[in-house]
């Protein structure tokens, strides 16, 4: 298990597979199921909030259908049934080619593959009920429908234009419709019985009565084949909606038999699925542009407006950056020309800032398809939250475009200013464009680097040009990166001619210039620590300290162009992504690679949360933004350097559902690298080591009599009422239960002197130590006692307290052993001080004990002199550091 683990994906809402609308009888609510990649998302239509995500299937879902209880999803030639919107409960295997049509049919489900094989499956037993092979040359099945009230019958449409009505139970062809000579793309049941709408490849919609084989109405759209049809079922609104491959929707009035209105650019790609909500003026649409929209028809003229929507990028994101310091918003610029904000908390906080435009008013009039005013996609941007409520806080560079745009996060729109040098205000050069941008931490200025080596400063509030660096240009080559430090003192610029230059921000003077080993491809500054990451064209990375202006670390190991870099919030890690599909984490203090993993498609952009909890990545040809959780925050992770021959593992990208650790017990098993370091009791024999006991256990041993006087109760203690349900415990620091004793009815009045003269455990251990010379057991016992018990034990060592001179000698030898080994140093001092206080008279009259004491005195003196020297040295250095003018 590495440093980062897959968490979930943001910004994936829809694909090219038509959605499915389901009604939940108990909830009395409609739910919408949409296939997104390899899983199915279920949304409530009421709020368009996600309510369930299915388990991930092995491949991308290509077909989706549902009945009252189950959802059916297929990929390639395998069909699965999912229960409770989540787990796979049935698998149907038998097709030889990719399934492209599905139709639930009571206790059965019908699937058709691209080889023209139709199979009817028994849902529960997973067995084939029926298989029909059609000849591709005469009847290639392209649409499938179960007409209402037609028991056991299905209607099939073909690429040749003919239609066939089959009885599935008896396996009979009941009727062949000659058709209209054009391929059928879709079939839809009308609200009237026997009436079916047929969508053709030419853009014609035929409303046909299949009972009498009569065409009732015929409509035509000029936007290509019909992709989806739906009927509005409310009273008094006979409306049919038809979708097209270019994203427009036509609404047809069935009473007047004419076009009611058009909804142009409902989606930027083909309308994949379209459903009117039964009994409500709501139309749900989805498309391959990664958008789900709910339209409401409540205005004049019958046209719809967007009531609710969930949308991500319709083309892969190119640059992502966390916005603000709370780690809850990620700004993302995509190849679709839009700038969007995705919330890591909930989808309802997602915002779209729209797409860049030269002239917003003209763009609105022309619509999406004819918009000649649209700006190219954003290549890089910088954002700052300071003053974002007062003026624009985001500045962006566009692909091959000289003008940089400002954006307003609060208003969720493009900002007021177009930033470009004054000499290019009249004419736009083709070969000069903005390549790098940064915004100051105060949000007042933006610094923009150009492909011709110019670096300009603009005021963000007014958009006024505030000067440039260098006489003509800051660099001879193209600018590869710009950065401003946290205090607006320095501007750092990197040029393709292998130079990094430091400029005074305000005076625009060159402070320092240094040559690099290779042309830089990009730079990234961690403002808090003043560390500059530099990526090179030769796939290496260097780290420069901007205070000393020296390169302090160099990392090599990538085998492809370095796409992006990000620092951890504390500046300890530098995380890099490359075209070799690897994401590597470098530890700056140790200068080592501590984590590396591979992904299926290369990460084009990386950003680390300011709170350090997530790493976000965007990938080649992928619409999602993927979150990886930082495991070091919540579990034990080895941060040791990876070996030279380390083979990184391929990690699957996260799915929509937050991923759980599958095998938690297995995860936590300590391997050689993961074993937590346990500090030994003593690091070295020469080091004076203290015990880990709290001060309260040894510091007040000399003052116990004073403390006891202070704490003496004013009233005699009251006997508590007996509480039979409390198990009696022994007094002491570690609670222990009193073992149950057998009750004797007759109590003897004769005192047993054996009980009074009983020796304590400590006393017994000291006696044994006289012969064995092992003092660990009595010391451990003493360490487990509280101050009062320690005093009682030490009092009991003297002959007056029931002890003996031999045991007192043994105690002094135990203290000598502690001073020799130099551990539990403060305990040795405290125990010896209390011992001397209690037994000073008896000690002075015993020559054996006096001899042992003189040995102890010499040991103590030696240790203290050694310690005093060390203390004096440290104090001397500290005093010098405080007083010396460095």
């Amino acid at each position: 298990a590495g440093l980062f683990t897959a968490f979930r994906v943001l910004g994936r809402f829809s694909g090219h597979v038509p959605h499915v609308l389901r009604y939940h009888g108990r909830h009395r609510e409609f739910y919408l199921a949409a296939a997104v990649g390899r899983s199915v998302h279920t949304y409530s239509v009421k709020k368009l909030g996600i309510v369930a995500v299915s388990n991930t299937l092995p491949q991308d879902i290509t077909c989706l259908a549902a009945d009252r209880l189950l959802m059916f999803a297929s990929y390639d030639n395998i069909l699965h049934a999912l229960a409770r919107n989540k787990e796979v409960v049935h698998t149907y295997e038998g097709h030889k080619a990719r399934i492209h049509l599905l139709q639930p049919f009571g206790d059965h489900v019908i699937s058709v593959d691209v080889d023209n094989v139709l199979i009817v499956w028994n849902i529960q037993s997973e067995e084939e009920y029926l298989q029909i092979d059609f000849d591709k040359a005469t009847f290639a099945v392209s649409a499938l429908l179960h007409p209402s009230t037609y028991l056991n019958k299905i209607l099939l449409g073909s690429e040749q234009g003919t239609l066939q009505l089959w009885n599935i139970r008896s396996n009979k062809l009941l009727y062949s419709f000659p058709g209209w000579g054009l391929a059928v793309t879709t079939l839809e049941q009308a609200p009237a019985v026997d009436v079916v709408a047929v969508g053709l490849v030419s853009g014609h919609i035929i409303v046909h009565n299949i009972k009498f084989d009569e065409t009732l109405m015929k409509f035509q759209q000029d936007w290509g084949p019909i992709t989806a049809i739906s009927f509005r079922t409310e009273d008094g609104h006979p409306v049919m909606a038809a979708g097209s491959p270019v994203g427009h929707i036509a609404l047809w009035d069935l009473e007047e038999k004419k076009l009611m209105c058009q909804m142009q650019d409902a989606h930027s790609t083909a309308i994949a699925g379209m459903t009117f909500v039964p009994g409500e003026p709501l139309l749900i649409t989805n498309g391959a542009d990664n958008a789900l929209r709910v339209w409401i028809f409540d205005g004049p003229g019958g046209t719809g407006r967007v009531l609710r929507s969930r949308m991500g990028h319709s083309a892969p994101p190119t640059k992502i950056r966390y916005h603000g310091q709370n780690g809850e918003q990620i700004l993302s610029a995509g190849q679709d020309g839009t700038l969007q904000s995705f919330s890591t908390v909930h989808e309802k906080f997602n915002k779209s800032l729209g797409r860049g435009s030269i002239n917003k008013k003209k763009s609105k009039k022309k619509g999406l398809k004819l918009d000649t005013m649209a700006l190219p996609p954003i290549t890089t941007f910088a954002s700052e939250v300071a003053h974002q409520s007062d003026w624009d806080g985001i500045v962006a560079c566009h692909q091959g475009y000289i003008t940089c745009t400002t954006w307003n996060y609060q208003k969720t729109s493009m900002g007021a200013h177009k930033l470009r040098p004054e000499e290019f205000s009249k004419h736009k050069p083709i070969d000069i464009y903005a390549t790098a941008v940064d915004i100051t931490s105060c949000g007042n200025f933006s610094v923009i680097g150009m492909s011709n080596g110019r670096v300009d400063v603009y005021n963000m509030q007014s958009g006024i040009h505030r000067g440039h660096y260098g006489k003509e240009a800051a660099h001879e080559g193209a600018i590869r990166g710009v950065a401003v430090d946290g205090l607006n003192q320095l501007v750092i610029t990197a040029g393709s001619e292998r130079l990094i230059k430091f400029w005074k921000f305000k005076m625009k003077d060159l402070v320092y210039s240094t040559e690099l080993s290779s042309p830089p491809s990009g730079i990234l500054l961690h403002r808090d620590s003043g560390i500059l990451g530099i990526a090179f064209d030769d796939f290496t990375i260097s780290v420069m300290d901007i205070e000393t202006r020296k390169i302090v670390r160099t990392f090599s190991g990538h085998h492809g162009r370095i796409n992006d870099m990000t620092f951890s919030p504390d500046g300890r890690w530098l995380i890099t992504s490359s075209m070799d599909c690897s994401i590597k984490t470098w530890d700056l203090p140790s200068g080592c690679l501590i984590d590396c993993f591979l992904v299926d498609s290369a990460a084009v952009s990386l950003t680390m949360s300011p709170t350090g909890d997530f790493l976000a990545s965007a990938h080649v040809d992928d619409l999602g933004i993927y979150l990886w959780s930082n495991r070091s925050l919540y579990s034990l992770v080895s941060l040791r350097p990876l070996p030279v021959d380390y083979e990184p593992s391929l990690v699957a990208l996260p799915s929509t559902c937050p991923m759980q650790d599958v095998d938690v017990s297995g995860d936590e098993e300590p391997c050689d690298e993961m074993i937590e370091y346990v500090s030994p009791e003593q690091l070295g024999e020469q080091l004076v080591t203290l015990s880990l006991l709290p001060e309260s256990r040894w510091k007040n041993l000399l003052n116990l009599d004073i403390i006891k006087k202070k704490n003496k109760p004013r009233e005699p203690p009251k006997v508590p009422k007996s509480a039979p349900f409390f198990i009696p415990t022994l007094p002491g620091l570690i609670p222990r239960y009193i073992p149950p004793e057998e009750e004797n009815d007759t109590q003897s009045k004769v005192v047993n002197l054996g009980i009074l003269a009983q020796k304590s455990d400590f006393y017994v251990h000291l006696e044994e130590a006289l012969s064995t010379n092992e003092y660990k057991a009595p010391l451990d016992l003493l360490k487990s006692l509280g101050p009062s018990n320690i005093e009682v034990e030490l009092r009991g060592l003297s002959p007056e307290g029931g002890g003996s001179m031999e045991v007192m000698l043994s105690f002094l030898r135990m203290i000598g052993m502690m001073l020799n080994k130099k551990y539990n140093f403060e305990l040795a001092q405290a125990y010896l001080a209390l011992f001397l206080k209690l037994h000073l008279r008896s000690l002075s009259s015993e020559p054996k004990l006096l001899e042992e004491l003189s040995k102890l005195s010499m040991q103590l003196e030696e240790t203290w002199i050694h310690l005093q020297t060390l203390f004096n040295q440290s104090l001397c250095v500290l005093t010098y550091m405080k007083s010396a003018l460095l």
Side-chain angles (χ1 to χ4, degrees), residues 399-691:
Q399 191 177 321
Y401 204 71
I402 193 165
T403 306
C404 284
T405 51
T406 61
W407 299 73
N408 195 308
Y409 188 81
Q410 298 279 30
K411 293 178 183 173
T412 63
S413 69
M414 194 171 151
H417 306 302
K418 306 276 193 299
L419 310 177
R420 65 165 168 249
E422 289 155 4
E423 58 261 39
F424 300 121
S425 56
K426 294 282 184 285
H427 66 284
K428 293 190 198 78
I430 296 166
D431 54 340
I432 301 171
Y433 52 91
T435 55
V437 66
D438 199 12
I439 192 166
T440 56
S441 54
C442 59
N444 283 303
F445 298 98
S446 61
V447 180
I448 296 167
M450 300 276 179
S451 59
N452 63 348
R454 272 187 69 122
V455 177
D456 297 279
V457 184
Y458 298 88
N459 185 296
M460 286 296 286
Q461 184 180 3
S462 60
I464 296 171
H465 185 259
R466 293 290 186 202
H468 59 87
Y469 295 93
K471 284 185 180 178
E472 286 298 317
H475 288 266
E476 289 173 17
I479 301 295
R480 292 285 173 85
V482 294
V484 188
D485 72 345
L487 299 171
N488 293 7
Q489 297 297 307
L490 284 175
V491 171
I492 303 150
T493 60
S496 59
E497 79 283 16
R498 301 199 304 181
L499 285 179
I500 280 210
K501 294 184 179 180
F502 291 76
W503 311 80
K504 280 189 180 171
F505 178 80
K506 198 170 181 185
M507 305 305 293
K508 315 280 190 294
D509 299 334
L510 180 63
V511 181
Y512 182 76
S513 175
T514 180
E515 191 164 351
L516 301 169
S517 57
S518 169
S521 62
I523 64 170
L524 177 72
L525 177 66
H526 187 259
R527 282 178 175 160
D528 294 346
S529 59
I531 288 174
L532 184 75
I534 310 162
F536 293 100
D537 284 346
D538 64 358
F539 316 149
T540 59
I541 302 137
S542 288
V543 177
M544 181 183 275
D545 182 355
I546 64 168
E547 291 295 323
T548 59
R549 292 164 196 153
K550 296 277 190 294
I551 285 181
V552 290
R553 295 283 184 274
T554 299
F555 303 120
S556 59
H558 281 298
H559 305 296
R561 181 176 170 270
I562 292 159
N563 290 329
D564 206 0
M565 305 181 284
T566 183
F567 283 100
S568 62
D570 56 4
R572 284 184 68 89
W573 301 338
L574 176 64
I575 304 154
T576 57
S577 71
S578 157
M579 286 310 283
D580 60 11
C581 295
S582 65
I583 295 175
K584 299 192 176 191
T585 306
W586 311 88
D587 186 59
L588 298 185
S590 66
C592 296
L593 176 69
I594 55 168
D595 188 61
C596 175
F597 63 94
L598 296 174
V599 283
D600 285 326
S601 61
V604 290
S605 189
L606 286 179
T607 178
M608 185 87 177
S609 165
T611 54
D613 48 1
F614 293 118
L615 171 73
S617 63
H619 298 262
V620 173
D621 286 341
D622 205 308
L623 301 179
I625 292 168
Y626 294 89
L627 291 183
W628 308 81
S629 59
N630 178 1
R631 288 181 68 243
S632 69
L633 294 183
Y634 58 84
S635 67
L636 181 67
V637 180
S638 165
L639 296 180
R640 292 183 183 177
L642 296 178
V644 181
D645 57 348
Y646 178 76
E647 285 291 326
S649 55
L650 184 70
V651 179
L653 293 176
S655 65
T656 311
C657 225
M659 290 205 179
Q660 305 296 324
D661 283 341
V662 180
D663 184 11
V664 178
S665 58
D667 244 6
E668 299 304 322
E669 235 170 75
C671 61
D672 295 343
E673 289 182 13
M674 297 281 285
I675 294 169
E676 195 169 3
Y677 176 71
V678 179
S679 177
E681 202 168 321
Q682 196 172 13
L683 293 175
E685 288 181 10
Q686 298 307 310
L687 297 175
V688 171
T689 308
L690 304 183
S691 74

Side-chain angles (χ1 to χ4, degrees), residues 73 387 666 870:
H387 290 303
L870 291 174

Side-chain angles (χ1 to χ4, degrees), residues 8 23 80 86 144 200 299 305 457 471 480 551 643 734 811 822 826:
R8 70 189 188 99
Y23 180 70
H80 290 297
K86 193 161 181 69
L144 173 63
L200 302 179
R305 63 180 176 87
V457 184
K471 284 185 180 178
R480 292 285 173 85
I551 285 181
I734 299 155
F811 179 82
K822 293 185 177 159
E826 83 279 36

Side-chain angles (χ1 to χ4, degrees), residues 813-871:
R813 283 178 183 169
M814 183 184 85
I815 300 292
M817 180 271 296
M818 290 165 77
L819 292 173
N820 261 339
K821 293 194 171 179
K822 293 185 177 159
Y823 67 56
N824 296 312
F825 189 70
E826 83 279 36
L827 294 187
Q829 309 290 328
Y831 296 161
L832 183 59
L834 181 60
F835 183 78
L836 292 173
K837 182 183 172 183
L838 295 174
H839 307 303
L840 197 60
R841 284 185 184 174
S842 52
L843 285 168
S844 56
S845 58
E846 285 294 325
K848 270 189 177 181
L849 296 177
L850 279 173
E851 190 186 333
E852 194 66 39
L853 275 174
S854 61
K855 281 183 192 174
L856 279 180
S857 175
M858 284 166 67
Q859 275 180 291
L860 272 170
E861 211 167 335
E862 268 180 42
T863 315
W864 270 118
I865 289 167
H866 178 58
L867 274 178
Q868 196 68 41
T869 314
L870 291 174
F871 284 145

Side-chain angles (χ1 to χ4, degrees), residues 15 27 34 46-47 49 82 175 180 222 262 270 274 338 392 425 455 534 551 593 597 683 794 807 865 867 875:
H27 294 178
K46 196 185 285 181
K47 291 186 176 176
L82 296 101
Y175 189 79
W180 299 269
D222 296 335
Q262 298 177 28
M274 183 165 59
T338 63
D392 303 339
S425 56
V455 177
I534 310 162
I551 285 181
L593 176 69
F597 63 94
L683 293 175
L794 295 195
V807 175
I865 289 167
L867 274 178
L875 282 167

Side-chain angles (χ1 to χ4, degrees), residues 132-403:
I132 307 171
D133 290 15
F134 292 94
D135 181 13
K136 220 169 186 176
T138 56
F139 194 87
V141 181
S142 60
L144 173 63
L145 174 74
H146 165 54
S148 294
T149 72
Y150 280 56
L151 195 65
N152 301 329
K153 297 171 187 70
I154 56 163
L155 182 67
L156 302 173
S158 70
E159 288 176 14
Q160 285 74 16
T162 54
L163 285 84
Q164 293 183 2
L165 186 67
W166 281 78
N167 185 321
I168 290 299
R169 189 164 185 180
S170 60
N171 189 11
K172 281 182 183 173
L173 172 62
L174 301 178
Y175 189 79
S176 281
F177 299 88
W180 299 269
L182 294 160
V184 176
T185 55
T186 180
L187 291 170
E188 183 65 29
Q189 173 69 49
V193 179
D194 304 324
V195 179
V196 169
V198 183
L200 302 179
V201 74
S202 59
H204 286 85
I205 305 155
I206 315 291
V207 180
H208 196 73
N209 186 316
I210 56 171
K211 189 174 183 181
F212 301 110
D213 194 6
E214 285 179 6
T215 297
L216 305 178
M217 296 170 214
K218 200 170 182 181
F219 305 106
Q220 186 180 2
Q221 294 177 187
D222 296 335
W223 302 318
I226 305 298
T227 57
I229 299 174
S230 186
F231 289 89
R232 192 166 163 185
T233 55
E234 282 172 285
D235 294 340
H237 292 282
V239 175
M240 176 180 71
S244 66
V246 290
H248 306 326
I249 296 171
L251 295 165
W252 301 90
D253 188 324
L254 298 176
E255 271 186 356
E256 302 282 328
K257 297 187 183 179
K258 66 175 187 182
L259 182 68
M260 196 165 89
C261 62
Q262 298 177 28
M263 291 158 58
Q264 297 224 345
D265 302 315
H267 287 269
S268 58
T269 59
I271 307 289
M274 183 165 59
T275 322
F276 272 105
V277 179
E280 293 183 43
L282 299 176
L283 175 69
I284 300 166
T285 61
N286 80 305
D289 60 348
N290 197 16
L292 284 174
R293 293 192 173 94
V294 179
W295 307 79
I296 185 165
F297 297 88
D298 56 355
T303 186
R305 63 180 176 87
V306 176
L307 178 66
R308 284 180 285 274
S309 70
R310 288 274 181 268
M311 53 182 277
H313 284 291
S314 58
T318 52
K319 191 83 169 179
I320 57 171
R321 286 289 177 264
Y322 267 94
H323 181 63
Q325 292 304 308
N326 60 3
E328 289 178 2
Q329 285 90 27
I330 298 174
L331 281 173
S332 165
Q335 289 174 11
D336 54 0
T338 63
L339 183 64
Q340 301 197 24
S341 167
F342 294 100
S343 169
T344 57
V345 180
H346 196 278
E347 288 159 353
K348 67 183 176 188
F349 302 120
N350 289 1
K351 297 176 175 184
S352 174
L353 282 74
R355 60 196 302 154
S357 173
I358 300 165
N359 187 318
K360 277 203 285 189
K361 281 185 181 175
K362 283 184 182 173
S363 287
K364 276 188 178 175
K365 281 181 185 174
K366 289 189 172 182
L368 281 176
K369 291 283 180 290
L370 302 164
D371 189 4
T372 52
M373 295 285 169
L375 284 171
I378 293 169
T379 51
T380 182
F381 64 88
S383 74
E384 192 56 60
V385 287
H387 290 303
Q388 72 170 6
S389 53
D390 304 321
W391 52 78
D392 303 339
I394 303 165
V395 59
C397 300
H398 296 265
Q399 191 177 321
Y401 204 71
I402 193 165
T403 306

